[in-house]
Amino acid sequence: MTAHPKAKPVRDERYRRLVASLPCAHCQRHPPSQAAHADAGKGMGIKGCDSAIYPSCADGPGRRGCHTLIGASGVFSRQQRRELERRYVESTRQLLGVYA
């Protein structure tokens, strides 16, 4: 068996800032948002690739943001989270005219 080196994830600060300037993909809350990385097989504490991000609102005074709601609240099952994130990444790419 041959070992294959892991591909380094794409990092693109300009793209992250562009995505964060969009309304939240989940609730449509006005920007600024956070560039949320889809949780597709990454390890704990390891960010996914910047090509798989979508805009998600942050926590605020007295309210839980969609970034926390989707990613860490336990409200959604893993399967539900991954489906939401897949749809949001796809719609973000379409909106911005980016095809990965």
Side-chain angles (χ1 to χ4, degrees), residues 29 58-65:
R29 187 173 183 84
D59 294 344
R63 77 176 281 282
R64 179 178 279 176

Side-chain angles (χ1 to χ4, degrees), residues 5-80:
K6 288 185 179 181
K8 289 186 100 177
V10 171
R11 297 287 179 241
D12 187 337
E13 184 176 349
R14 288 184 311 170
Y15 185 64
R16 286 193 311 269
R17 288 180 185 271
L18 180 60
V19 169
S21 73
L22 300 172
C24 176
H26 189 69
C27 73
Q28 299 305 307
R29 187 173 183 84
H30 292 289
S33 294
Q34 295 177 326
H37 288 84
D39 182 24
K42 67 184 192 294
M44 254 183 94
I46 300 172
K47 291 283 184 222
C49 187
D50 285 353
S51 66
I53 59 175
Y54 61 95
S56 192
C57 63
D59 294 344
R63 77 176 281 282
R64 179 178 279 176
C66 293
H67 197 164
T68 300
L69 178 71
I70 294 169
S73 70
V75 170
F76 297 101
S77 70
R78 178 180 290 175
Q79 182 178 350
Q80 289 171 320

Side-chain angles (χ1 to χ4, degrees), residues 76-92:
F76 297 101
S77 70
R78 178 180 290 175
Q79 182 178 350
Q80 289 171 320
R81 268 194 339 264
R82 290 199 173 156
E83 178 56 27
L84 282 174
E85 291 170 340
R86 184 197 61 75
R87 283 193 349 237
Y88 295 156
V89 167
E90 185 177 307
S91 65
T92 300

